[in-house]
Amino acid sequence: MIRYCRILRTYRCKSPSRFYNIMLRVWKCLTDNPRIPGSIWAAHPELLPLFLTLAAKYHEVYQRASLYSSRLDIAEREMLQPELIDYMDEIASVLEAAAVRNPEILVISGFDLTKERRNPTRANVPHKTSEDSDVQDTEQTPS
């Protein structure tokens, strides 16, 4: 069973190349994924198509900017990235809400997820203060 986890929103502060890698992974995972039901997008019918369209445009601009180092393409890429971040934030919120009923959705979404942290089980040993040990030592010594 998958435990509840959250989507990390680290894509907000990434360099263009790292942001592109995350965006590309999310774009591919959300495109025609039969494991994510269409009912998730019912409350926001335009969200996914707008994101997919903008992601395709960002992909083209990113490729041109990396190949030709055109200042216009770099400027356009920098203008598109905040828009994509806004869409990705909305999508992350929608997917986290849907994950309450079906946690598998987060795993297949392509986003980075928080890792479950488990504390090691400790034996319930009472902690002694240094004063307590000094009192016990003096009681045990014969006088």
Side-chain angles (χ1 to χ4, degrees), residues 63-135:
Q63 295 297 323
R64 283 196 317 258
S66 63
L67 289 175
Y68 306 117
S69 299
S70 166
R71 289 184 183 203
L72 293 174
D73 290 331
I74 292 171
E76 187 177 359
R77 179 189 71 197
E78 289 178 0
M79 288 175 38
L80 290 175
Q81 188 168 335
E83 290 180 51
L84 274 170
I85 288 172
D86 290 342
Y87 282 124
M88 289 173 75
D89 282 341
E90 286 187 53
I91 289 170
S93 297
V94 169
L95 291 175
E96 283 179 341
V100 172
R101 291 186 178 208
N102 185 5
E104 182 186 56
I105 288 175
L106 293 182
V107 176
I108 59 175
S109 68
F111 284 99
D112 294 330
L113 304 176
T114 58
K115 294 180 181 172
E116 182 180 339
R117 298 180 188 258
R118 294 186 182 184
N119 293 333
T121 308
R122 296 182 183 174
N124 292 333
V125 178
H127 296 287
K128 295 181 182 179
T129 62
S130 60
E131 294 172 0
D132 292 341
S133 61
D134 291 341
V135 171

Side-chain angles (χ1 to χ4, degrees), residues 26-83:
V26 171
W27 180 33
K28 287 181 179 181
C29 288
L30 294 180
T31 303
D32 298 327
N33 192 337
R35 296 173 66 188
I36 298 178
S39 60
I40 291 175
W41 310 110
H44 309 280
E46 71 283 343
L47 180 61
L48 188 61
L50 287 174
F51 169 74
L52 296 176
T53 303
L54 194 60
K57 184 174 182 180
Y58 185 84
H59 173 68
E60 292 172 15
V61 170
Y62 181 85
Q63 295 297 323
R64 283 196 317 258
S66 63
L67 289 175
Y68 306 117
S69 299
S70 166
R71 289 184 183 203
L72 293 174
D73 290 331
I74 292 171
E76 187 177 359
R77 179 189 71 197
E78 289 178 0
M79 288 175 38
L80 290 175
Q81 188 168 335
E83 290 180 51

Side-chain angles (χ1 to χ4, degrees), residues 4-23:
Y4 181 73
C5 56
R6 292 183 27 232
I7 292 175
L8 288 175
R9 285 158 171 88
T10 55
Y11 51 82
R12 293 177 183 159
C13 56
K14 296 288 185 185
S15 66
S17 61
R18 291 190 180 189
F19 174 79
Y20 174 72
N21 290 332
I22 294 170
M23 187 275 312

